[in-house]
Amino acid sequence: MSETAASSSPPPEPPIAPPPAPGVIVLSRPPSSWPTILGVIAIVFGCLGMLQGVLTLFTRMTMDFASGIAGDQPQFAVVRKWMPWTIGMGVAGGVLAAILLFAGIQLIRRKPASAGLIRGWAIIKIIYALPATGVGLIMQLEQAAAVSQQAGVAGAFAPGSLSIIGVGSSIVGGLWLLAFPVFVLFWFRRDAVREEIGRWARPAPRA
């Protein structure tokens, strides 16, 4: 009878084993958007700068035509005086704009070389902006003095108002030239940005 009771008893339950340890799950980081945003801004500024450089080459022709119509006005004499410098700075600005355009395209493609290229552009652009702003200020002051000496013009403005306008416009123009390159230099000094650019150089893992 004991054998019958033993055979009818339920089988023992298996020991409870701990759950298997989960494997390491690597979550891929979503691609950041700043290379695209900064690249598009660089492309837009590059295109505008190249257009400005091309238009500067036609400034001499335009000024000769305007001076022929208006006569030998003092303000046109000031422009002709600084024309070689203006054309030279326009050509240099066009070349810098082309470099910025290329750097923006490479930045959108997340090429590691784009970081060094756009930083180099920023340094040269700052060097370019300082004399461009200084000469622009001198031109504005000379033109203001020439216009104020014309008959009927001096009384239309308060004394020194044209000079104040010229100084203000030159300062605003200089700050505009410096704004983007200074931002670029500060942005690419960030550790997170450098780390991400370093990942661009690594080959993508095979599936």
Side-chain angles (χ1 to χ4, degrees), residues 3 6 11 17 22 33 71 100 149 168 170 174 177 179 194 200 202:
E3 293 180 357
S33 60
L100 179 60
Q149 293 175 0
S170 298
L177 289 176
R194 291 183 177 182
W200 295 350
R202 302 171 189 170

Side-chain angles (χ1 to χ4, degrees), residues 7-197:
S7 61
S8 62
S9 61
E13 296 181 358
I16 300 176
V24 179
I25 301 176
V26 178
L27 299 177
S28 60
R29 296 181 180 179
S32 58
S33 60
W34 70 261
T36 301
I37 297 174
L38 197 59
V40 169
I41 295 175
I43 290 174
V44 172
F45 283 170
C47 292
L48 293 177
M50 292 179 63
L51 178 62
Q52 182 180 3
V54 172
L55 293 177
T56 303
L57 297 178
F58 294 95
T59 302
R60 180 60 182 270
M61 182 184 304
T62 304
M63 294 306 303
D64 289 342
F65 178 77
S67 62
I69 295 178
D72 192 12
Q73 300 292 335
Q75 62 268 29
F76 291 116
V78 174
V79 173
R80 285 194 297 268
K81 170 186 174 182
W82 291 99
M83 186 59 62
W85 173 270
T86 304
I87 294 177
M89 295 300 290
V91 173
V95 173
L96 285 174
I99 296 174
L100 179 60
L101 173 62
F102 179 74
I105 295 174
Q106 296 299 96
L107 189 59
I108 291 178
R109 298 174 61 190
R110 287 173 164 80
K111 297 295 183 180
S114 62
L117 184 61
I118 198 169
R119 284 200 305 264
W121 167 86
I123 294 173
I124 299 175
K125 182 70 174 182
I126 292 174
I127 298 174
Y128 164 89
L130 296 178
T133 303
V135 173
L137 175 60
I138 296 174
M139 288 180 60
Q140 292 280 358
L141 295 177
E142 291 185 359
Q143 284 185 325
V147 171
S148 299
Q149 293 175 0
Q150 295 184 33
V153 177
F157 299 93
S161 60
L162 292 177
S163 298
I164 295 175
I165 294 174
V167 171
S169 62
S170 298
I171 292 176
V172 171
L175 293 176
W176 173 255
L177 289 176
L178 293 172
F180 188 58
V182 170
F183 169 78
V184 166
L185 291 180
F186 276 103
W187 179 262
F188 282 92
R189 285 178 59 89
R190 300 175 65 227
D191 294 335
V193 173
R194 291 183 177 182
E195 181 182 351
E196 181 172 352
I197 295 173

